[in-house]
Amino acid sequence: MNTDPVALPIASVERETGLSKDTLRVWERRYGFPVPARDAKGERLYPLGQVRRLVQIKRLIDRGHRPGKLLTLDEGALAALDAPLDAERPEISTRHLDRWMHLVKTHDHEAMQALFRRDLFRCGMSRFVQDIAAPLIARVGDAWARNQIGVFEEHLFSQHLEKLFRSALSGLALNDGRPRVLLTTLSGEEHTLGLLMVEALLTVEDAYPVLLGPQTPVSEIVRAALAKEIDAVCLSFSSAYPVSLATQGVIELRRSLPADICIWAGGYGVKSLRKPPGGVCLIPEFADLFACLGAWRQTRQTDPLPRQGKHTEDN
Amino acid sequence: MNTDPVALPIASVERETGLSKDTLRVWERRYGFPVPARDAKGERLYPLGQVRRLVQIKRLIDRGHRPGKLLTLDEGALAALDAPLDAERPEISTRHLDRWMHLVKTHDHEAMQALFRRDLFRCGMSRFVQDIAAPLIARVGDAWARNQIGVFEEHLFSQHLEKLFRSALSGLALNDGRPRVLLTTLSGEEHTLGLLMVEALLTVEDAYPVLLGPQTPVSEIVRAALAKEIDAVCLSFSSAYPVSLATQGVIELRRSLPADICIWAGGYGVKSLRKPPGGVCLIPEFADLFACLGAWRQTRQTDPLPRQGKHTEDN
DNA sequence: TCAATACTTTGTCCAAGACAAAAATATGAA
DNA sequence: TTCATATTTTTGTCTTGGACAAAGTATTGA
């Protein structure tokens, strides 16, 4: 009686791919792909194959390709574009990540937990996040998108990673460092793992993170920032979050927030953004977080004049 | 200084209120509210006042009111609906809880964290959950529904409670106890705190909780239960979760799950259920969890034959 | 090489109609 | 009464094709 869905309605495809319903419909009209089947009601039903291809296309768009090109390509040409990235991606210990993926697929949570601890103590929080946790999350997300693992395996993995970070954090005393950074996501973005990783990094870097949890409306972020005397607001966007919503939300936040409070926007969701909205720092990789942190400390801890200013600002 | 936006485009309103663009447009067409202004392009611009009212309406809908009624009401009648939730709540040991609520309202998270720890060590996990955490969550939820506190205060409170439970749990070794209980919620139910509290209680009671996180589809719950050799599946329902969805989901789960795996359904969301669907235990209060646990152990811990008497070796 | 211009691509918005799932209400039986 | 079933209303999501501006690309001129 198990109902394996062979095709998804448009709302599900929107969620799975991060492409808006409008975009899906206009692509069909303009480029002739995707061409979903229709149910009795005349509504679109996207076969899983097309959904997978859409995910692949979305990934390529985020990497800088243009939709008009991609959508006219056939299966093979698409795969050809997908491959060369693998070569350039720094293959940090693929072997080790493979071992991890095996544990995820076999949902062996005891072994997972043990390996988490071992890896964390072996390479330290900062390297653990950048070299293991972040790429692993990406791979698990990928595997899920390709239907190689189920919801259950993904959930179990997330929960154990979350457990690890939280227990690591509970062992760290929080001293009154600077900057004070508010961590949250905009409404609609549910993923908390990114925030937890940032919290961990900030803690070991002697900053003062304030974790607000996911899905805070802009107006409430502003209230929180003022009440807790925040220096910077850090937002996290997963790859599924619509880019347009992200940029619009960030711009709105920038408008509503005092100019002396920085905005840092991170996560896979901002990788596709070429140029940041004015007054916002992009953090596509965790390494960039350290850059932001350093920049903030330099401008605030020394005098307020910007060092590398091109213009002679004081006349 | 910075131009305070006096009106928001439809995408922003979707993000802030959680109402889809389609819904916003169809409400305007059907009920005559909201009536946004238009920009030069003819696109909707929602004044902040209307956005606030939409947020209020959404909250009332989540509480069970119907859109058709709410949208024809004026300002005053709407506010009147926001108040009268008072009478029905039992007021337990209010003095201490009042102190708590004060911390929540002043969002003093350092003091919150400290008081959490103190209370937990003073009265032990089991009493802490039943006498402090659970009623406090109810009161905070209430206060939020009545607009006495904002999203920001509610988020901060939840995060710190979660942090507390997770750090307490990370200190407890998990031994191979029985029953093995799978903890999760059905799709649509996002709240994790209930699961964490159950995890804490089960751990101190020498059971073996497997936390799967929120929003698992029924079919995946079944997969997980079989793979992890689960004895009981425990679901949590917050008060916001529609009762009909809850019963339907539970019934479906009961159908798909082997008969020897128990189903325990807990949380505020099941309090209104008079009679449980066949083969399902209801846990409206945390105290009932202990009853379920005891019952399971009595039937299973002796040998597989349904023998009522205790073993002689104990006496 | 760089900046300003003109052209192309692309995502979002709009309108009004349609329909089924959910909720409320009515009806009948134990 | 209380429960189960049928009927009506409510309500959110999906449909179509057209329009438009912002972002991206190509072209031009210094």
Side-chain angles (χ1 to χ4, degrees), chain A residues 223-250:
Chain A
R223 278 189 59 221
L226 297 178
K228 308 303 288 181
E229 295 171 26
I230 289 303
D231 297 310
V233 174
C234 181
L235 299 173
S236 161
F237 297 96
S238 74
S239 55
Y241 200 75
V243 185
S244 58
L245 277 188
T247 44
Q248 222 164 348
V250 169

Side-chain angles (χ1 to χ4, degrees), chain B residues 260-279:
Chain B
D260 61 323
I261 299 181
C262 303
I263 298 179
W264 301 343
Y268 266 92
V270 301
K271 281 205 170 162
S272 51
L273 282 184
R274 301 270 168 100
K275 99 174 175 211

Side-chain angles (χ1 to χ4, degrees), chain A residues 125-127 130 169 172-179 181 197-209 264 286-287 289-291 293-294 296-297 301:
Chain A
M125 181 58 81
S126 172
R127 294 251 63 81
Q130 293 180 65
L169 281 164
L172 292 170
L174 196 59
N175 42 0
D176 248 350
R178 277 286 177 112
V181 184
M197 291 193 284
V198 174
E199 186 184 11
L201 291 184
L202 290 175
T203 304
V204 300
E205 290 293 323
D206 261 331
Y208 189 93
W264 301 343
F286 281 101
L289 179 66
F290 296 107
L293 202 56
W296 186 91
R297 285 184 165 148
Q301 233 135 52

Side-chain angles (χ1 to χ4, degrees), chain A residues 5-25:
Chain A
V6 293
L8 303 179
I10 194 168
S12 302
V13 179
E14 174 180 42
R15 191 171 39 70
E16 302 268 326
T17 62
L19 299 163
S20 78
K21 299 187 187 84
D22 275 321
T23 302
L24 288 168
R25 285 192 277 253

Side-chain angles (χ1 to χ4, degrees), chain B residues 174-235:
Chain B
L174 196 61
N175 42 0
D176 248 349
R178 276 289 177 107
R180 297 165 64 92
V181 184
L182 188 74
L183 303 174
T184 188
T185 72
L186 297 182
S187 318
E189 172 59 71
E190 301 176 357
H191 294 75
T192 331
L193 266 175
L195 297 179
L196 274 178
M197 291 192 283
V198 174
E199 185 184 12
L201 291 184
L202 289 175
T203 305
V204 298
E205 290 293 322
D206 262 332
Y208 189 93
V210 178
L211 184 60
L212 200 56
Q215 313 219 55
T216 313
V218 169
S219 58
E220 292 288 321
I221 295 179
V222 174
R223 277 189 58 223
L226 296 178
K228 308 302 293 182
E229 296 172 24
I230 289 301
D231 297 310
V233 174
C234 181
L235 300 174

Side-chain angles (χ1 to χ4, degrees), chain B residues 239-265:
Chain B
S239 54
Y241 200 75
V243 184
S244 58
L245 273 188
T247 43
Q248 196 185 326
V250 168
I251 289 171
E252 202 185 319
L253 181 61
R254 181 68 284 173
R255 261 211 318 263
S256 332
L257 214 55
D260 61 323
I261 299 181
C262 303
I263 298 179
W264 301 343

